[in-house]
Amino acid sequence: MAEILGVSVATYQGWESGRRPIANMRSSDLLGLRRRLPALGADLDVVSLLDAAMDADRVIEVALAPPRHGVPHPLSEWVHTRDTAHMIAWAVNGSPPPVLRRRPVPARRGPVASAPRLTPDERAVFFAHLRDTAEGAACHRGEGSLLHRQALYLASYDPGADAASWTAHALHSRRHRAIDGGQR
C-alpha cells in the first residue's frame, strides 16, 4: 500500500498507528493522496472527512497554542461545515462523526487511541479560548459576527457545569448590543 501511495513504509505505518498525522503532509501531496484513495477502494464518506479533519485540527491548534498577532482566527475566515463541527466534537467528547459511527473500529496492534481525544486540561484550555474569542469578537471589524457565532456554537459543546448559563448570557448580551447599536 505504501508503494501504491508513493510513500515510505515508515510513513504509512506512522499514519496507521496515529504516530504521524496525515495533516503534516505537504498540501500538494495530501491533495494527491485524497484523489487517489477512492480509486484504491477507500470509502468515499471517510475520504470526504479529510478536509473537515484538517479544518478541525486548525481550529483546535489555534485554541491550544499561544495567539499569533495579525493572524486571523480560523473561525472568522469561513463558515465551517457540520462535518468540521463533528470532528471537533469527536476530539472534545469522543463522539465520532455520524459517518464513522456505523463502521467497525479496526483491530490494531499496540497502544492506539480509540479517538482523537483532547486531555481534560486541553479541553479546559479549548473552551476557555472559545469563550474569550466569543466575548472578544465584537472588537473584530467585519469578521466579528462570524467569529462570535462560530466560537459560541463550539463553546456550547462544553459539558461544564456553568456552560449553559454562560452561553445564555453570551447570547443575551450580544442580542442587546445588536439592538442598541452597541450602546450597552
Side-chain angles (χ1 to χ4, degrees):
M1 186 57 127
E3 186 177 316
I4 291 170
L5 295 175
V7 299
S8 71
V9 172
T11 296
Y12 185 75
Q13 288 172 336
W15 293 343
E16 282 188 316
S17 68
R19 289 186 319 269
R20 179 177 284 185
I22 282 184
N24 287 351
M25 293 178 72
R26 291 185 336 201
S27 60
S28 61
D29 292 338
L30 181 62
L31 185 58
L33 174 65
R34 195 180 74 206
R35 289 185 175 149
R36 280 193 309 273
L37 286 172
L40 297 170
D43 187 319
L44 290 175
D45 290 335
V46 175
V47 172
S48 73
L49 290 178
L50 282 174
D51 289 339
M54 291 182 52
D55 287 342
D57 280 350
R58 186 159 175 240
V59 170
I60 292 169
E61 176 186 25
V62 166
L64 299 180
R68 297 183 310 185
H69 183 68
V71 177
H73 197 289
L75 293 176
S76 70
E77 294 180 310
W78 67 90
V79 177
H80 290 276
T81 65
R82 179 174 287 135
D83 285 338
T84 299
H86 288 160
M87 296 303 276
I88 291 170
W90 194 14
V92 170
N93 64 25
S95 175
V99 168
L100 300 179
R101 286 186 195 141
R102 61 182 181 259
R103 287 178 171 65
V105 177
R108 305 233 174 135
R109 294 187 327 224
V112 176
S114 61
R117 295 288 305 254
L118 297 177
T119 67
D121 288 343
E122 289 170 333
R123 281 195 302 277
V125 168
F126 178 74
F127 286 121
H129 170 81
L130 289 174
R131 286 182 182 196
D132 290 347
T133 300
E135 290 170 351
C139 301
H140 298 275
R141 301 208 192 244
E143 74 268 5
S145 180
L146 179 61
L147 180 60
H148 178 265
R149 183 176 66 234
Q150 294 194 120
L152 185 61
Y153 175 78
L154 292 174
S156 72
Y157 287 10
D158 186 353
D162 70 330
S165 63
W166 178 87
T167 302
H169 173 73
L171 283 169
H172 182 71
S173 66
R174 182 77 172 196
R175 186 175 302 126
H176 283 295
R177 273 196 297 270
I179 291 170
D180 296 343
Q183 299 301 316
R184 278 191 187 197

